Amino acid sequence: MWSYFANPERFDRLARAILPWCWGIAATLFAIGLPWALYFSPEDYQQSDTVRIMYVHVPAAWLAMFAYGGLGGASFVYFIWRHNLADLAARAIAPAGAVFAFICLATGALWGRPMWGAWWVWDARLTSMLVLFLLYLGYMALRAAIEDEKLSARAGAILAMAGLINLPIIKFSVDWWNTLHQPASVFRFDGPTIDPSQLWPLAIMALAFTVLYLALILTQMRAMLMERRADALERRRERRLELEAEL
């Protein structure tokens, strides 16, 4: 099964068919979610309009963690089965995940300032999210620092898989330690505690971010595939010219 989906030509055909739908669905969801979240959803009785930061902050946090799960999963597939498309997926995921992690941290600082009286505190949830952001940066720096492509891919895969231990720490940090960050209010065993008037726009924004993420990853992977093909054609042309020169 992995070999079937790891075929670059099959992937390119599938991505080319899916991408227009992804961009269209993402645009539609944002067109619905943004006005609903920023204008039509009610104010919070304690936080007032500041609560609207939630509609960007929370989806960005979810996507940062989801993307790292994808990075670790793709790295595992490459490390075990050596499928180049999995390594390509990992390379495409890393910058997108880093952007989502940065948005999460930046919006968290904007949200924390009026709520906690500080832009940053060394809270368990905030610190573990910062570690996630640094893991993304470390992965990209490691890949760029090693010239040998196969060695770079293996080293990056090991780092990405090791970093997966941080995901449960982020998730359960508010339960394991006494933190300023509020506990989970959506994904709970006893159901969401957030009011439906805020839950629905939050869900739409989260879905919009997710479809946007998928579109970005597929676009980046297609661009990398085309770059590889161009490099291969250039090397083939250079070899042909060298042979003709020898003759």
Side-chain angles (χ1 to χ4, degrees):
M1 184 180 71
W2 287 118
S3 299
Y4 181 85
F5 288 107
N7 182 283
E9 292 184 1
R10 291 195 190 102
F11 168 79
D12 189 59
R13 288 197 300 269
L14 181 63
R16 200 166 23 182
I18 290 175
L19 269 172
W21 289 96
C22 287
W23 289 115
I25 292 171
T28 302
L29 289 171
F30 275 115
I32 297 170
L34 279 173
W36 193 350
L38 300 181
Y39 296 104
F40 300 118
S41 65
E43 298 179 2
D44 185 77
Y45 76 101
Q46 288 181 320
Q47 303 179 47
S48 186
D49 280 327
T50 308
V51 76
R52 301 187 193 282
I53 299 173
M54 169 183 69
Y55 299 111
V56 174
H57 173 76
V58 174
W62 288 343
L63 263 295
M65 296 176 63
F66 177 77
Y68 198 90
L71 173 61
S75 297
F76 176 79
V77 171
Y78 174 78
F79 194 78
I80 300 299
W81 290 285
R82 292 293 191 272
H83 284 317
N84 290 327
L85 200 62
D87 178 57
L88 211 67
R91 287 177 55 202
I93 289 170
V99 169
F100 283 120
F102 177 78
I103 292 173
C104 172
L105 292 169
T107 54
L110 293 173
W111 199 358
R113 182 67 177 87
M115 294 299 102
W116 300 339
W119 296 103
W120 178 267
V121 292
W122 291 101
D123 177 274
R125 173 62 64 82
L126 274 65
T127 304
S128 53
M129 182 57 72
L130 176 62
V131 170
L132 183 69
F133 178 59
L134 294 176
L135 281 169
Y136 278 122
L137 297 184
Y139 175 87
M140 292 186 289
L142 180 63
R143 296 299 304 265
I146 303 175
E147 292 185 5
D148 184 274
E149 189 172 344
K150 291 185 178 179
L151 180 59
S152 170
R154 287 197 296 271
I158 293 171
L159 175 61
M161 289 187 292
L164 287 171
I165 190 63
N166 190 47
L167 295 184
I169 294 175
I170 297 174
K171 169 62 179 173
F172 297 109
S173 57
V174 293
D175 302 316
W176 293 343
W177 294 284
N178 183 23
T179 72
L180 290 174
H181 201 285
Q182 69 179 47
S185 58
V186 177
F187 297 112
R188 296 168 55 98
F189 290 114
D190 55 352
T193 59
I194 186 172
D195 189 82
S197 63
Q198 294 176 324
L199 180 61
W200 279 107
L202 178 61
I204 291 172
M205 288 296 292
L207 187 57
F209 270 81
T210 303
V211 179
L212 175 63
Y213 161 79
L214 178 61
L216 290 172
I217 299 306
L218 291 177
T219 300
Q220 181 67 5
M221 288 181 68
R222 288 197 68 214
M224 288 179 175
L225 279 175
M226 286 187 283
E227 184 179 355
R228 282 191 175 184
R229 289 170 186 164
D231 290 342
L233 289 172
E234 180 63 23
R235 287 194 298 269
R236 193 178 305 168
R237 188 182 71 85
E238 290 175 356
R239 285 197 298 269
R240 187 176 68 248
L241 291 176
E242 288 173 1
L243 289 174
E244 290 176 355
E246 291 175 1
L247 295 175

